[in-house]
Amino acid sequence: MYEKEKQSLIDCALQMKECRLITLCGGNVCIRLDDGNIAVTPSGLDYEIMTTDDICIVDIDGNRVEGHRRPTSDLDAILHIFRVMPWVNATIHTHQPYATALGLVTDVFPSCLVSQIDALRGDVPVAPFTPSSDKGMGLLTEEYFNGSLAVILRGHGVMAFGPSLQVALYAAAYLEEASQTYLAALATGRPVEPLDPEMVKAELGDEDSWIKYLQK
């Protein structure tokens, strides 16, 4: 069952790898299925050799529905996000280097780049450190996201999410591009001013337009 949906997780993970958001078997991809179950990538398996038979299907409480492999170790955190954020239908967890580096030196990535505003809806918050595999990653995502489509997890990586897998992938990818640009600007030693809130509002326009475009 769910062959198309399972393949979409693998395709997304390979795109994450192509965008250098993950290395080897790092990170994970999850989607909410139409019947309420969750499809999730397995733990510790390289995406290059992953097949649809390797994808795990669990219910919202984490009980196995289908699949023979162990789901990602971050499952408890991800299930919390799906429970408390009903508009979220996809999550992507990465260890992308530039956004993670930015999270070591600031508490928020302020709105200063068009791609960041369009794909992430504005400022990107940095949540405190929480250990791998801890439910706290989900709790902190809920607490800190503040309207953004991603949260930088200090000393860990990024949790990106959205109403579709494509929206979540764009959030993660453009966050990495924007973080690289921002860090390069900071390296000059000159101050980097965030955009005026009115400029951010003007760039956003219809707040749902970008998401609606990606979901076509």
Side-chain angles (χ1 to χ4, degrees):
M1 295 177 63
Y2 313 108
E3 290 301 303
K4 181 179 178 181
E5 292 85 353
K6 290 177 179 178
Q7 187 61 51
S8 73
L9 266 64
I10 299 171
D11 293 343
C12 178
L14 292 173
Q15 284 185 282
M16 290 158 59
K17 203 166 186 177
E18 183 179 348
C19 294
R20 299 184 179 181
L21 306 181
I22 55 174
T23 302
L24 298 176
C25 58
N28 52 67
V29 187
C30 303
I31 58 171
R32 192 196 307 265
L33 301 166
D34 290 342
D35 61 7
N37 288 327
I38 307 298
V40 54
T41 49
S43 177
L45 185 64
D46 195 315
Y47 301 110
E48 299 286 351
I49 63 171
M50 193 177 293
T51 70
T52 55
D53 288 339
D54 297 313
I55 300 298
C56 307
I57 307 295
V58 300
D59 65 19
I60 196 64
D61 295 316
N63 299 307
R64 185 187 302 273
V65 174
E66 187 177 313
H68 63 283
R69 292 194 178 273
R70 182 167 62 90
T72 172
S73 59
D74 295 321
L75 183 62
D76 285 347
I78 292 162
L79 290 178
H80 177 80
I81 293 170
F82 282 125
R83 290 190 198 102
V84 302
M85 300 165 71
W87 58 273
V88 170
N89 293 318
T91 65
I92 290 174
H93 174 48
T94 74
H95 299 152
Q96 54 197 79
Y98 288 105
T100 304
L102 186 56
L104 297 175
V105 297
T106 188
D107 293 327
V108 63
F109 180 10
S111 299
C112 57
L113 296 162
V114 165
S115 58
Q116 173 197 2
I117 297 167
D118 287 346
L120 293 141
R121 320 313 299 150
D123 295 352
V124 180
V126 177
F129 174 79
T130 185
S132 297
S133 309
D134 191 279
K135 184 180 178 180
M137 186 167 68
L139 295 168
L140 290 173
T141 296
E142 175 195 7
E143 179 180 354
Y144 277 82
F145 84 99
N146 194 32
S148 176
L149 293 180
V151 172
I152 299 172
L153 306 164
R154 176 164 285 135
H156 188 161
V158 167
M159 182 65 76
F161 41 86
S164 73
L165 194 53
Q166 188 178 17
V167 170
L169 177 61
Y170 273 54
Y174 282 111
L175 172 58
E176 185 69 352
E177 179 189 73
S179 296
Q180 184 175 6
T181 302
Y182 188 67
L183 286 168
L186 290 178
T188 67
R190 300 181 64 180
V192 180
E193 295 294 332
L195 291 173
D196 182 276
E198 289 302 314
M199 293 182 179
V200 175
K201 185 177 180 180
E203 174 61 29
L204 282 172
D206 175 1
E207 290 193 1
D208 294 325
S209 60
W210 178 248
I211 291 175
K212 287 177 180 176
Y213 169 75
L214 291 178
Q215 291 182 300
K216 286 183 180 179

